[in-house]
Amino acid sequence: MDAFDVLILILRIGFIFLLYFFLFLVVRVITRELDNAKYRSSPASPNYPEESDSIKQGVVVEASSGIGRVLVTEIGSATTVRVGAIFELSPITPIGRRATNAIRLDDDLVSGEHALLSWREGRWYLSDNGSTNGTYLNGEAVLQPRLLNWGDLIGIGRVRLRLEP
């Protein structure tokens, strides 16, 4: 076997590897889309607004808590919200892609159950729920529950939310 034959063999093996890698990526995208379609087609929990309420009712999604709200400042590739949308917060506010979240963000980088805003002892806390792409507070990764202040920027995928009183 000379050097040319070895080169041809390496190129064939590389091509087969790339072909199988491509097939893996296709299957991964298909399973993600099927999983997301399952959540989109299921009815929303009666305790939370339906996924299109923020678009149907203008920019405000109503809740009865009055203990704070978040304002959408950037939307990334999300289509269920728009810049300027306001979400009133409840004492426990889950954020993510799934329809069961109080704040549903369908950005590509948002996990199904991405983050949680919780009201404890008169203060807001932000925690990451083991998301794939992380949760950020004022540009810093949230690795454990973090205390929030009014005006803080929360980064979830490519969506940015600002905490307001």
Side-chain angles (χ1 to χ4, degrees):
M1 222 182 196
D2 63 350
F4 181 73
D5 291 334
V6 171
L7 177 66
I8 294 296
L9 179 65
I10 290 172
L11 288 174
R12 285 181 178 175
I13 291 171
F15 178 74
I16 290 171
F17 172 77
L18 287 174
L19 182 63
Y20 278 107
F21 182 70
F22 175 75
L23 290 175
F24 166 76
L25 291 177
V26 167
V27 168
R28 191 172 121 204
V29 166
I30 289 171
T31 56
R32 275 189 177 175
E33 289 300 316
L34 288 174
D35 188 44
N36 288 337
K38 177 176 67 173
Y39 288 112
R40 275 187 238 133
S41 65
S42 66
S45 169
N47 296 332
Y48 300 128
E50 291 182 16
E51 64 186 61
S52 61
D53 278 354
S54 61
I55 295 170
K56 286 181 190 173
Q57 299 175 359
V59 296
V60 178
V61 175
E62 293 295 333
S64 59
S65 68
I67 51 179
R69 61 188 191 168
V70 290
L71 170 72
V72 178
T73 60
E74 295 177 38
I75 61 167
S77 64
T79 59
T80 56
V81 296
R82 61 181 175 208
V83 172
I86 296 171
F87 293 92
E88 296 293 332
L89 299 175
S90 58
I92 304 234
T93 307
I95 304 171
R97 285 179 73 105
R98 291 194 176 139
T100 56
N101 290 300
I103 300 176
R104 182 172 182 274
L105 306 172
D106 68 342
D107 182 79
D108 297 334
L109 300 178
V110 175
S111 298
E113 296 175 0
H114 197 102
L116 183 71
L117 284 168
S118 57
W119 180 256
R120 293 182 295 199
E121 301 169 0
R123 302 294 305 263
W124 281 107
Y125 289 86
L126 173 66
S127 57
D128 182 78
N129 286 345
S131 63
T132 304
N133 295 305
T135 302
Y136 294 86
L137 176 61
N138 297 321
E140 296 180 17
V142 174
L143 303 175
Q144 60 187 8
R146 300 270 305 270
L147 178 65
L148 297 175
N149 294 307
W150 302 123
D152 280 347
L153 285 176
I154 300 165
I156 296 176
R158 290 179 287 233
V159 178
R160 299 293 172 265
L161 308 167
R162 185 174 60 228
L163 182 66
E164 296 186 338

